[in-house]
Amino acid sequence: MKVKILIIALVIIAAMGFLGFKYQVQIQALMQTPEVVKSTRPFYIPLEKMVVSVESERTIYYVMMEVTLETKLEASIEGINYFMPVIRNSFVRNLSQRSYDTIRKNLKNIEQLQIEMLSGLDEELTRYEMNGLIDDVLITKLVVQ
């Protein structure tokens, strides 16, 4: 009886070893985490327009800004949509802390303003351990009244 159990156990172990060897590639593929692939074509997520008041020495001005976010990771789109309130809040806070004169100067150098907005946004998203979602901030419209 013990011999039969021993033979059955050896057959099962041999079969498992054979199957493990045969399906080794598939097992390794299942155990590895999927590789994140950056797209050669960026994805764009437009935001709703934002209106912020800014002060000057004489009066209050209003800044209307439209922004589009750029990412090269399609998987980031879901995270961007989830954190949209945080993203919009970051832009509104960034603009509202500027004076009218500063914003007028930024009108001549939109690229610098975009870099500053992206930097502030990255800092904000770092608090949620979600930095790196956004590759670029594109200001598509900026009006000061």
Side-chain angles (χ1 to χ4, degrees), residues 11 33 43 67-69 73-74 80 102 108 117 120 135 143:
V11 169
T33 57
F43 299 93
V67 175
T68 299
L69 305 176
L73 295 173
E74 188 173 5
I80 290 169
T102 304
K108 295 178 182 174
M117 300 293 269
D135 293 314
V143 177

Side-chain angles (χ1 to χ4, degrees), residues 12-23:
I12 290 173
I13 291 172
M16 289 177 65
F18 173 74
L19 290 174
F21 180 75
K22 183 175 180 182
Y23 296 106

